[in-house]
Amino acid sequence: MTEAEYWDLNDRSWFSTEAQEVVRYVRRLPSFGGVWIDQRHGGRLAVALTNADPEVIATIDAKLPTEPDLGWRLVIVPRTFQELKAAANRAWKVSQELDPTAKLWSVGLDSKNGRIRVMYDPDDVGRMRPRKDELEKELGVPVVITSGRVREV
């Protein structure tokens, strides 16, 4: 690691710690859609909201430190984090009702894109992909169906 990389990592780590006050604030908002450190955009704090409320933006600006100049960026998302979380929690039951033999391995939130990811056993993916529309209708959010892999020991 070069000295420049070390200081960049140090700055990002410091910024992540300092941004925790903003994270606590945005998680309480009814428009909260998610929050993450966006490494693809220079380590900025990405704040996902369902609308760009000027008061909220001003509050975030006031709470964030200005040094180092990592800043933050607003991402407008179609659904709140709570909506996605509720859909993810219901996915297990809905999947079971659609096909009791399909093995659902995991459900994940994709707050950036306003959808959930459901991972099925590779043998069951073929049966569940045609039922994607039913799954989305029941859950009320877009769904991405993926396949898990079994590792034999």
Side-chain angles (χ1 to χ4, degrees):
M1 178 182 299
T2 67
E3 185 175 351
E5 290 171 331
Y6 169 80
W7 287 111
D8 180 56
L9 182 62
N10 188 50
D11 286 348
R12 289 176 192 229
S13 176
W14 174 84
F15 180 73
S16 178
T17 302
E18 292 296 313
Q20 290 306 308
E21 184 179 346
V22 171
V23 171
R24 284 189 295 276
Y25 167 70
V26 296
R27 283 196 171 155
R28 293 190 308 254
L29 297 172
S31 62
F32 174 67
V35 64
W36 61 92
I37 298 293
D38 197 339
Q39 298 302 339
R40 292 183 179 180
H41 290 91
R44 291 183 178 154
L45 180 69
V47 176
L49 301 172
T50 57
N51 60 52
D53 182 346
E55 259 184 57
V56 170
I57 292 170
T59 303
I60 294 171
D61 282 337
K63 289 181 181 288
L64 271 179
T66 56
E67 289 294 326
D69 188 24
L70 293 174
W72 70 284
R73 69 186 202 94
L74 177 64
V75 179
I76 301 297
V77 293
R79 284 165 198 78
T80 67
F81 186 79
Q82 291 301 329
E83 288 176 275
L84 291 176
K85 192 173 174 183
N89 290 337
R90 288 191 324 271
W92 296 91
K93 182 179 179 189
V94 170
S95 177
Q96 183 70 25
E97 290 170 357
L98 289 176
D99 188 340
T101 62
K103 295 176 190 162
L104 177 59
W105 286 7
S106 69
V107 178
L109 304 180
D110 182 359
S111 58
K112 187 177 187 181
N113 296 306
R115 61 188 182 191
I116 62 171
R117 294 182 179 276
V118 291
M119 181 185 291
Y120 286 96
D121 185 274
D123 296 334
D124 299 325
V125 170
R127 285 197 328 270
M128 291 309 291
R129 283 209 171 117
R131 295 188 166 167
K132 179 182 173 203
D133 290 341
E134 292 175 72
L135 193 56
E136 288 178 337
K137 182 181 175 187
E138 291 293 320
L139 296 175
V141 299
V143 173
V144 174
I145 296 177
T146 62
S147 171
R149 300 214 186 281
V150 177
R151 292 186 181 173
E152 293 186 20
V153 180

